[in-house]
Amino acid sequence: MNAGVEEDRRQKAEGSILNAPGLFDNPTAAYVHIPFCRRRCFYCDFPISVVGDRNRGETSGAIGQYVDKLCQEIITTPKHDKRLNSVFFGGGTPSLLSVAQLERILHTLDRHLGIASTAEISMEIDPGTFDRAHLQGYCNAAINRVSLGVQAFQADLLLACGRTHTPHDIYAAVELIHQVNLPNFSLDLISGLPNLTLEQWQDSLQQAIALAPAHISVYDLTIEPGTAFGRRYTPGDRPLPSDDLTADMYRLAQRTLTSAGYDHYEISNYAKPGFQCRHNRVYWENRPYYGFGMGAASYVAGQRFTRPRKRQEYFEWLDELITANGAIDCPITPSDEVLLDTLMLGLRLKEGLSLSQLTEQFGDDKVAQVLAIARPYIQSGWVEINQSNEPDTRLRLTDPEGFLFSNVVLTALFNQFLE
Ligand code: SF4
């Protein structure tokens, strides 16, 4: 975006957004989407392309072409004066990239936007999609955090949700992570899978803890329309676990992981001290970030923008972006939406939201409205105000019950501010 357009947008925004510190800060985080997977998992509706079991970055023309386009998008994006403190390669399956492709993307980011020497550079990897040479190469290229898509430790469950890996592959992948001496690694698990029992879930949690990751993410399965699971299953009906059972799985994860020394720092995320995901905190704190690649979202200069989810459409959009010199034409997020985003994202964090910061950003009236909405949930024990000795008064969800029923609280806020 050129300076004149940016100034014009800033002036328009100043008329509609109350004193919003941070909104126009330059991003220091970048998400890079790598949209290729061997097969599509049965529950997945992410923007991806399937390359089959034998192809990967070294052999797939589609991946090579995509990396070319991705680098074009990066160099077309207007530069800002801050270096990146975090880069996150998500997917898809970024571990299908060749080492040379990953190096090229990182080099392009560094040359064009600058990457701080202390940046957290994360990569999602899937068991069975990389060997030691790949992982060592990724680390040599500056990857210093990986997130391994485990999902479950039971062979029948993995097969039933269309994953390409086995429990053996999980152990082999973690062994490689240890061999390349990468202590900052995370494991992803999914609760609420069809036919998953509480005993199996407990077993998955214990096996995850035994692998000693620094971080564990626990997601509850969502049945998305248009997926194989969406055609096969109805939420709440067998063989999906009942709502009560999925709630018990959430409580069990909270008890088991916190007892093992993991801090439940976000609704779905647990970390050993010092190992929270720096990149994802940018989202939860509603701070700006770049997004690159098909289907990627960005939040720059008050504009939230999601790129096209299909490869050809993304390429066509990129041609338009190049013609427009990097200017993305989309509206500045209106004030009430910024407030709602701040609430919905910030309440995901254990520490919740600072009421003085909310007041500074959105004014007394809005904060009074938020507190009025929160009042019945404070009485029901799902929301609390400053239960510890922090100097700043904070509004937050309780753990685990407030987190578990966050949808109820967030829907009430949504109805208040987006009517
Ligand atoms: S590996 Fe991840 S992104 Fe790829 S199909 Fe499976 S769930 Fe979707």
Side-chain angles (χ1 to χ4, degrees):
M1 192 187 307
N2 66 44
V5 174
E6 188 160 5
E7 183 56 26
D8 184 45
R9 295 211 161 116
R10 187 188 297 268
Q11 281 171 8
K12 277 188 208 149
E14 277 169 358
S16 61
I17 299 182
L18 297 164
N19 182 23
L23 185 68
F24 287 97
D25 283 358
N26 293 335
T28 57
Y31 173 80
V32 181
H33 192 65
I34 306 298
F36 298 96
C37 292
R38 292 203 153 146
R39 297 177 229 160
R40 185 177 279 278
C41 304
F42 298 156
Y43 53 83
C44 178
D45 76 340
F46 290 173
I48 59 144
S49 301
V50 169
V51 293
D53 285 348
R54 277 191 288 276
N55 270 326
R56 48 172 300 119
E58 289 84 347
T59 54
S60 160
I63 298 181
Q65 182 195 29
Y66 180 81
V67 170
D68 288 344
K69 299 283 186 183
L70 190 61
C71 291
Q72 278 179 30
E73 188 191 349
I74 294 168
I75 60 174
T76 307
T77 297
K79 287 185 193 197
H80 294 105
D81 59 3
K82 284 192 183 158
R83 297 171 84 76
L84 298 173
N85 276 326
S86 69
V87 178
F88 193 102
F89 288 88
T93 306
S95 46
L96 290 178
L97 288 174
S98 69
V99 172
Q101 287 164 337
L102 180 83
E103 282 172 344
R104 184 171 161 215
I105 300 166
L106 278 169
H107 185 64
T108 308
L109 282 168
D110 190 32
R111 223 182 33 216
H112 188 66
L113 299 173
I115 301 177
S117 58
T118 52
E120 174 193 271
I121 307 182
S122 299
M123 183 179 197
E124 290 181 341
I125 59 176
D126 276 304
T129 62
F130 60 93
D131 57 20
R132 179 171 173 163
H134 282 111
L135 194 57
Q136 188 67 64
Y138 299 150
C139 292
N140 293 347
I143 295 293
N144 51 28
R145 180 180 186 275
V146 291
S147 177
L148 183 71
V150 168
Q151 321 313 359
F153 281 89
Q154 297 76 17
D156 54 338
L157 290 176
L158 290 170
L159 198 62
C161 55
R163 297 292 298 181
T164 54
H165 69 267
T166 62
H168 172 79
D169 294 328
I170 299 168
Y171 280 90
V174 173
E175 175 58 27
L176 292 179
I177 291 169
H178 288 311
Q179 282 178 17
V180 302
N181 195 19
L182 186 53
N184 192 358
F185 76 97
S186 178
L187 303 181
D188 279 3
L189 296 175
I190 301 185
S191 62
L193 289 170
N195 295 307
L196 176 65
T197 64
L198 205 56
E199 293 68 31
Q200 286 173 318
W201 180 234
Q202 170 80 331
D203 180 49
S204 279
L205 293 165
Q206 296 295 3
Q207 291 200 52
I209 291 166
L211 290 171
H215 187 282
I216 299 179
S217 299
V218 175
Y219 301 107
D220 189 36
L221 178 73
T222 306
I223 301 293
E224 302 288 357
T227 61
F229 273 10
R231 291 185 286 281
R232 215 173 286 168
Y233 303 124
T234 308
D237 285 358
R238 288 177 61 78
L240 295 174
S242 64
D243 288 351
D244 284 348
L245 184 51
T246 51
D248 284 345
M249 287 178 186
Y250 188 87
R251 294 184 184 103
L252 181 63
Q254 189 262 3
R255 273 200 312 277
T256 308
L257 295 175
T258 54
S259 305
Y262 291 89
D263 179 25
H264 192 187
Y265 74 101
E266 195 266 351
I267 285 188
S268 305
N269 287 284
Y270 297 81
K272 288 279 168 100
F275 287 99
Q276 295 187 12
C277 179
R278 193 194 301 174
H279 181 84
N280 286 342
R281 284 199 67 101
V282 169
Y283 304 140
W284 300 320
E285 291 169 10
N286 203 19
R287 289 190 276 137
Y289 54 90
Y290 296 106
F292 298 111
M294 175 178 129
S298 55
Y299 186 33
V300 180
Q303 296 172 296
R304 263 187 206 286
F305 180 76
T306 303
R307 285 141 192 77
R309 291 170 57 94
K310 296 213 162 100
R311 204 146 28 113
Q312 200 48 43
E313 288 168 20
Y314 166 64
F315 292 167
E316 286 162 15
W317 170 82
L318 180 57
D319 288 342
E320 288 167 22
L321 186 77
I322 292 167
T323 307
N325 235 345
I328 290 180
D329 189 20
C330 83
I332 299 278
T333 309
S335 170
D336 271 359
E337 268 181 52
V338 176
L339 169 60
L340 199 55
D341 290 340
T342 303
L343 294 169
M344 295 184 95
L345 293 164
L347 286 173
R348 296 185 62 93
L349 286 166
K350 166 186 170 175
E351 70 263 30
L353 292 153
S354 151
L355 290 182
S356 57
Q357 268 178 27
L358 274 183
T359 305
E360 189 189 333
Q361 191 168 354
F362 302 101
D364 288 324
D365 287 356
K366 293 289 181 194
V367 173
Q369 287 176 45
V370 170
L371 291 176
I373 299 290
R375 199 159 296 126
Y377 305 111
I378 293 172
Q379 276 156 13
S380 68
W382 294 350
V383 174
E384 64 187 13
I385 294 183
N386 228 29
Q387 293 280 302
S388 65
N389 296 326
E390 294 153 7
D392 186 20
T393 307
R394 304 188 77 91
L395 179 75
R396 64 177 156 234
L397 295 169
T398 55
D399 181 18
E401 295 307 308
F403 279 162
L404 196 45
F405 295 101
S406 60
N407 275 353
V408 178
V409 180
L410 297 178
T411 301
L413 291 166
F414 186 88
N415 291 339
Q416 170 73 23
F417 293 108
L418 272 198
E419 274 195 334

